[in-house]
Amino acid sequence: MSNYIHPTAVVDPSVTLGDNNHIGAFCYITGDTTIGNNNRFEAYCSIGTPPEHKHYYGKETKGVVIGNNNVFTEFITINSGCTQDTTIENNVWILKGAYVGHDTLIENDALLSSGVLLGGYCIVGRNSNLGLGAICHQGTIIGGGAMIGMGAIITKKKAVLPLSVYVGNPAKFLKLNTYKLNILSEEKVEEYNNSYNNHIKSKQ
């Protein structure tokens, strides 16, 4: 294996690492965490720490699964899951100071800007883009290809439609994401909608 681990970083023996990962200064990676290949963690990332859920405090919990080719910049926290692994798929960018709560799923090619906060059990669909400081209540579903405006707040039981733009506090539908719609085939748009509907059913 060819991973770079900064001398000040802590990677516990319970962690499974793939190849060609960069673990920056003062990172802490712990718990039942599995990390794939070609991921980059900048300084002060905290990965796999216990879920912030009082009913699971001190109890056996799940882990974190991170795929391939993801970028995590400074001061990011990703908590372990309570009932399912917190999962980051592939080609995801999570920027400075973002927080990913327990049991959350972030799908391929998503982008979380600096300061984004995701409560537990959130689903962030593929190719979605969450603006600076956006906040999502636990259990939120963000459809694939959606855009969340800077500082927007997704409130309880609010589901964000795929390929749409939401802004404000509380966040409301603004318009369709015409940029994505113009570059996606009809088949791909249908895939985004089907994925969103399946996630909705899974929460019922």
Side-chain angles (χ1 to χ4, degrees), residues 35-79:
I35 296 172
N37 305 320
N38 305 311
N39 298 287
R40 187 173 183 91
F41 299 84
E42 300 295 352
Y44 294 98
C45 291
S46 176
I47 313 295
T49 47
E52 293 184 334
H53 192 311
K54 65 181 181 181
H55 297 305
Y56 289 88
Y57 186 77
K59 298 180 181 179
E60 184 176 351
T61 56
K62 299 294 184 179
V64 172
V65 175
I66 294 173
N68 306 315
N69 307 311
N70 301 294
V71 175
F72 306 89
T73 63
E74 296 87 351
F75 297 100
I76 285 167
T77 299
I78 301 174
N79 286 156

Side-chain angles (χ1 to χ4, degrees), residues 67-68 70 87-93 105-111 124-128 144-145 192:
N68 306 315
N70 301 294
T87 300
I88 316 295
E89 292 189 337
N90 306 308
N91 305 305
V92 171
W93 282 65
L105 167 63
I106 301 179
E107 294 184 335
N108 296 331
D109 303 296
L111 169 64
V124 178
R126 58 181 169 167
N127 247 232
S128 54
Y192 277 60

Side-chain angles (χ1 to χ4, degrees), residues 89-105:
E89 292 189 337
N90 306 308
N91 305 305
V92 171
W93 282 65
I94 303 181
L95 305 184
K96 190 176 300 179
Y99 167 72
V100 178
H102 60 83
D103 300 82
T104 287
L105 167 63

